[in-house]
Coordinates of all heavy atoms in Angstrom, one line a residue:
F45 N 164.7 58.5 101.9 CA 165.4 58.1 100.6 C 166.8 57.5 100.7 O 167.3 56.9 99.8 CB 165.5 59.3 99.6 CG 164.2 59.6 99.0 CD1 163.4 60.7 99.5 CD2 163.7 58.8 98.0 CE1 162.2 61.0 98.9 CE2 162.5 59.2 97.3 CZ 161.7 60.3 97.8
I46 N 167.4 57.6 102.0 CA 168.8 57.2 102.2 C 168.9 55.7 101.7 O 168.2 54.9 102.1 CB 169.2 57.4 103.6 CG1 169.2 58.9 103.9 CG2 170.6 56.8 103.8 CD1 169.5 59.3 105.3
D47 N 169.9 55.5 100.9 CA 170.3 54.2 100.4 C 169.3 53.6 99.4 O 169.4 52.4 99.1 CB 170.6 53.2 101.5 CG 171.8 53.5 102.3 OD1 172.8 54.0 101.7 OD2 171.9 53.3 103.5
Q48 N 168.4 54.4 98.9 CA 167.4 54.0 97.9 C 168.0 54.2 96.5 O 168.7 55.1 96.3 CB 166.1 54.7 98.0 CG 165.4 54.5 99.4 CD 165.0 53.1 99.6 OE1 164.4 52.5 98.7 NE2 165.3 52.6 100.7
E49 N 167.6 53.3 95.6 CA 167.9 53.5 94.2 C 166.7 54.3 93.6 O 165.6 54.0 93.8 CB 168.1 52.2 93.5 CG 168.6 52.3 92.0 CD 168.9 50.9 91.4 OE1 169.8 50.3 91.9 OE2 168.1 50.5 90.6
V50 N 167.1 55.3 92.8 CA 166.0 56.2 92.2 C 166.3 56.3 90.7 O 167.4 56.1 90.3 CB 165.9 57.6 92.9 CG1 165.5 57.5 94.3 CG2 167.2 58.4 92.8
S51 N 165.3 56.7 89.9 CA 165.5 57.0 88.5 C 166.3 58.3 88.4 O 166.2 59.1 89.3 CB 164.2 57.0 87.8 OG 163.4 58.1 88.2
Y52 N 167.1 58.4 87.3 CA 168.0 59.5 87.1 C 167.9 59.8 85.6 O 168.0 59.0 84.8 CB 169.4 59.2 87.5 CG 170.3 60.3 87.4 CD1 170.5 61.3 88.4 CD2 171.1 60.5 86.2 CE1 171.4 62.3 88.2 CE2 171.9 61.6 86.0 CZ 172.1 62.5 87.0 OH 172.9 63.5 86.9
D53 N 167.8 61.2 85.3 CA 167.9 61.7 84.0 C 168.6 63.0 84.1 O 168.0 63.9 84.8 CB 166.5 61.7 83.4 CG 166.5 62.3 82.0 OD1 167.4 63.2 81.7 OD2 165.6 62.0 81.3
V54 N 169.7 63.2 83.4 CA 170.4 64.5 83.7 C 169.6 65.8 83.3 O 169.8 66.8 84.0 CB 171.8 64.4 82.8 CG1 171.5 64.6 81.3 CG2 172.7 65.5 83.4
L55 N 168.6 65.6 82.4 CA 167.8 66.8 82.1 C 166.5 66.8 82.8 O 165.9 67.9 83.0 CB 167.6 66.9 80.6 CG 168.8 67.1 79.7 CD1 168.5 67.1 78.2 CD2 169.5 68.4 80.1
G56 N 165.9 65.7 83.1 CA 164.6 65.6 83.7 C 164.5 65.2 85.1 O 163.4 65.4 85.8
N57 N 165.5 64.6 85.7 CA 165.4 64.1 87.1 C 166.8 64.0 87.7 O 167.3 62.8 88.0 CB 164.6 62.8 87.1 CG 164.2 62.4 88.5 OD1 164.0 63.2 89.4 ND2 164.1 61.1 88.7
N58 N 167.5 65.1 87.9 CA 168.9 65.1 88.3 C 169.0 65.4 89.8 O 168.1 65.5 90.5 CB 169.7 66.0 87.4 CG 169.3 67.4 87.6 OD1 168.9 67.9 88.6 ND2 169.5 68.1 86.4
C59 N 170.2 65.6 90.2 CA 170.5 65.9 91.7 C 169.8 67.2 92.1 O 169.4 67.3 93.3 CB 172.0 65.9 91.9 SG 172.9 67.2 91.0
E60 N 169.8 68.2 91.3 CA 169.1 69.4 91.6 C 167.6 69.2 91.7 O 167.0 69.8 92.7 CB 169.4 70.5 90.6 CG 168.9 71.9 91.0 CD 169.3 73.0 90.0 OE1 170.0 72.7 89.0 OE2 169.0 74.1 90.3
H61 N 167.0 68.5 90.8 CA 165.6 68.2 90.9 C 165.3 67.4 92.3 O 164.3 67.8 92.9 CB 165.2 67.2 89.8 CG 165.1 67.9 88.4 ND1 166.0 67.6 87.5 CD2 164.2 68.8 87.9 CE1 165.7 68.3 86.3 NE2 164.6 69.0 86.6
F62 N 166.2 66.5 92.6 CA 165.9 65.7 93.8 C 165.9 66.6 95.1 O 165.0 66.6 95.8 CB 167.1 64.6 94.0 CG 166.9 63.8 95.2 CD1 165.9 62.9 95.4 CD2 167.9 64.0 96.3 CE1 165.8 62.2 96.5 CE2 167.7 63.3 97.4 CZ 166.7 62.4 97.6
V63 N 166.9 67.5 95.2 CA 166.9 68.2 96.5 C 166.0 69.4 96.5 O 165.4 69.7 97.6 CB 168.4 68.8 96.7 CG1 169.4 67.6 97.0 CG2 168.9 69.7 95.7
T64 N 165.6 69.9 95.4 CA 164.6 71.0 95.3 C 163.2 70.4 95.7 O 162.4 71.0 96.3 CB 164.5 71.8 94.1 OG1 164.4 70.9 92.9 CG2 165.8 72.6 93.9
S65 N 163.0 69.2 95.3 CA 161.7 68.5 95.6 C 161.6 68.2 97.1 O 160.6 68.3 97.7 CB 161.6 67.1 94.8 OG 162.4 66.1 95.3
L66 N 162.8 67.9 97.7 CA 162.8 67.8 99.2 C 162.5 69.1 99.9 O 161.7 69.2 100.9 CB 164.1 67.2 99.7 CG 164.5 65.8 99.2 CD1 165.9 65.4 99.6 CD2 163.4 64.8 99.8
R67 N 163.1 70.2 99.5 CA 163.0 71.5 100.1 C 161.6 72.2 99.9 O 161.0 72.7 100.8 CB 164.1 72.4 99.7 CG 164.1 73.8 100.5 CD 165.4 74.5 100.2 NE 165.2 75.9 100.8 CZ 165.4 76.2 102.1 NH1 165.9 75.2 102.9 NH2 165.3 77.4 102.6
Y68 N 161.2 72.1 98.6 CA 160.0 72.9 98.2 C 158.8 72.0 98.0 O 157.7 72.6 97.8 CB 160.3 73.7 97.0 CG 161.5 74.6 97.2 CD1 162.7 74.4 96.5 CD2 161.5 75.7 98.1 CE1 163.8 75.2 96.6 CE2 162.5 76.6 98.2 CZ 163.7 76.3 97.5 OH 164.8 77.1 97.6
G69 N 159.0 70.7 97.8 CA 157.9 69.9 97.3 C 157.7 70.0 95.8 O 156.7 69.5 95.3
K70 N 158.6 70.6 95.1 CA 158.6 70.8 93.7 C 159.9 70.7 93.1 O 160.9 71.3 93.6 CB 158.0 72.3 93.3 CG 158.0 72.5 91.9 CD 157.1 73.7 91.5 CE 157.1 73.9 90.0 NZ 156.6 72.9 89.2
A71 N 160.1 69.7 92.1 CA 161.4 69.5 91.5 C 161.7 70.5 90.4 O 160.9 70.5 89.4 CB 161.4 68.0 91.0
V72 N 162.7 71.3 90.6 CA 163.1 72.2 89.6 C 164.7 72.2 89.4 O 165.4 71.9 90.4 CB 162.7 73.7 90.0 CG1 161.2 73.8 89.9 CG2 163.2 74.1 91.3
S73 N 165.2 72.5 88.3 CA 166.6 72.5 88.0 C 166.9 73.6 87.0 O 166.6 73.4 85.8 CB 167.1 71.2 87.5 OG 168.4 71.2 87.1

């Protein structure tokens, strides 16, 4: 994902969602 543009939504797809999806395979915030 480095240097990629991704969709962002503060409630549905934020920085916490992103990193938890990397660690667990599930996006949670």
Side-chain angles (χ1 to χ4, degrees):
F45 284 101
I46 294 172
D47 292 327
Q48 299 295 313
E49 188 175 289
V50 295
S51 63
Y52 181 87
D53 179 329
V54 74
L55 295 177
N57 193 27
N58 63 35
C59 59
E60 188 176 3
H61 288 108
F62 177 73
V63 297
T64 57
S65 72
L66 294 174
R67 182 171 175 84
Y68 305 110
K70 177 162 179 61
V72 293
S73 174

